[in-house]
Amino acid sequence: MHPLADAFGRRFPYLRLSIIPACNFRCTYCLPNGYKADPKAAGPLRLDEITRLLTGFQHLGMHKLRITGGEPSLRRDLTDIIATAAAVPGVERIAMTTNGVLLTRRLNEWMDAGLGAINVSMDSLDRACFARITGHDRLDSILQGIDLALARGLPSVKINAVLMRDVNDQQLPAWLDYLRDHAVGVRFIELMQTGDNLDFFRRHHVRAASVMAHLLDSGWRERPRRADAGPARELVHPDYAGHIGIIAPYAKDFCAGCNRLRVTATGDLRLCLFGDFGIPLRHLLQDDADQEALVRAIGGQIGRKEKGHFLHQGHTGITPHLASTGG
Ligand code: SAM
Ligand code: SF4
């Protein structure tokens, strides 16, 4: 194994793989008009291509995989994808980010196949607010799915909530009530600008610093960061079963701890969510004999990874919305 490291000494044990660009939700900040298929676009990677891709990344030190999209649960062969990933030697944790609509129906089979962690996107605990954000009145069934994951003992259950000014940024009390007896991590994520959402971003971006300050004032304490920690700052409180993570991509040094690479649903390597280019890998996923070339191709690109994103300058790279890249 030759673990990857970039010019800034960062290592990349973590791969985020999008397995489908399509989604059944219409989140206001992501796909406000719903997913529109491009009839000319190639289909998503097949299972055999995914297997070769993961084996290649594993040779480069990847040991944590996150399956994302679009909405990954729309893939009919999702359980097979999880099982395939679980069979790649060295892959220690398989996580998935999902809107949660299929959790109550499918979680058991995903866990049996090897799923070890979920992040469920749920921007509000208020039913009407949730429906306005996502276009779907499905909050109750998603909450049930989270309860099922906890009851089944899934090792990691997290909720992603994107903070939006005048939409859900005044709902901290409801989250605190929920966290008192739910052993989940809620991650408040600052809204990010993407190619398609500039007007929305200007209206609704709010810094997470005020939430952080409020929590620290109320007795929450920051947990010491592990060496392999991702970008979230984690807070805990002895009176609460759950914990809170703050993800603030506009904060200074946010990219210094970057530990992830991404691959799009059609097999393009992305060095950064907001980078200017993708590196096609699909042609190297057609034959087991190309494994060495695949590993060389990935390793050869890592020096091109920038020190940080250019979101402060309003530069969002080639990402029209996060569903396209795998958020
Ligand atoms: N459909 C799945 C879901 O929503 O969990 C997976 C894909 S979604 C693109 C992944 C995560 O990105 C979600 O938690 C979503 O809330 C977040 N996201 C999407 N667009 C975003 C934006 N502009 N700023 C911050 N987070 C965003
Ligand atoms: Fe779909 Fe996830 Fe984007 Fe919402 S955030 S529209 S669920 S891909």
Side-chain angles (χ1 to χ4, degrees), residues 23 29-30 68-72 97-99 121 160 162 189-192 194 197 322-323 327:
C23 186
Y29 48 82
C30 183
T68 180
E71 176 45 44
T97 305
T98 173
N99 62 24
S121 301
N160 289 357
V162 177
I189 306 176
E190 257 182 48
L191 177 65
M192 292 177 257
T194 62
N197 77 359
L322 264 49

Side-chain angles (χ1 to χ4, degrees), residues 20-32 34-35 68-72 97-100 121 123 133-134 162 321-324 327:
I20 186 166
C23 186
N24 47 354
F25 272 19
R26 301 193 296 271
C27 299
T28 43
Y29 48 82
C30 183
L31 293 174
Y35 172 72
T68 180
E71 176 45 44
T97 305
T98 173
N99 62 24
S121 301
D123 299 322
I133 294 170
T134 61
V162 177
H321 44 71
L322 264 49
S324 71

Side-chain angles (χ1 to χ4, degrees), residues 69 140 167 184 195 216 258 283:
D140 286 351
V167 177
V184 302
L216 290 172
C258 184
H283 61 290

Side-chain angles (χ1 to χ4, degrees), residues 123-151:
D123 299 322
S124 177
L125 287 164
D126 177 89
R127 186 173 157 189
C129 181
F130 179 91
R132 277 196 300 277
I133 294 170
T134 61
H136 290 264
D137 185 9
R138 298 298 295 272
L139 179 67
D140 286 351
S141 106
I142 293 163
L143 285 168
Q144 281 169 27
I146 292 171
D147 285 344
L148 175 66
L150 290 172

